[in-house]
Amino acid sequence: TNQAPLVNDVVINALVGSGTINHTFTANDPEDGALTAGASWDPTLVLGAGFIHALPSFNPSTQMLSWNTAGYSVGQYFIQARAFDSQGVGDFGTLTVNLSRVVPPTGTVPTPGTLLLLGMGLFGMMWRGAFYKRV
């Protein structure tokens, strides 16, 4: 039996009003491999509240979504696109856009200096307490 293509879900973190977000939806079909020839894509389905300004645009031939975030507030926005294989079986993929005032750092997060100082202070108090118990 024909299986639905798997559209890849993606999360993008961006700054409020940082300009246009561009994303290309991708999919893989269990029978046909990369979903290119014979595939079709639905326009985007915008989920949730908050889309009050320029709505995202979607080019079904390139699977490219463009969204100008100017005027939008901090929050989480969901955009879906659906892909169909050559036999008309489809699947939705979700693009989650987290708009914030500060872009979260990528990679590992360093230990804050305040935690290091607090830990050293607690260690010093324990060591001092142990020292006084011996004397």
Side-chain angles (χ1 to χ4, degrees), residues 4 12-13 16 19 25 30 45 47 60 63-64 66 68 74 100-102 116 130:
I12 295 177
N13 297 313
V16 170
F25 281 92
L45 169 65
L47 301 174
Q63 298 88 41
M64 172 68 83
S66 295
N68 185 344
V74 170
S100 66
R101 299 216 185 280
V102 178
L116 180 63

Side-chain angles (χ1 to χ4, degrees), residues 17-41:
S18 61
T20 302
I21 293 173
N22 293 308
H23 170 70
T24 302
F25 281 92
T26 58
N28 202 5
D29 187 44
E31 289 83 26
D32 300 328
L35 202 58
T36 53
S40 62
W41 289 77

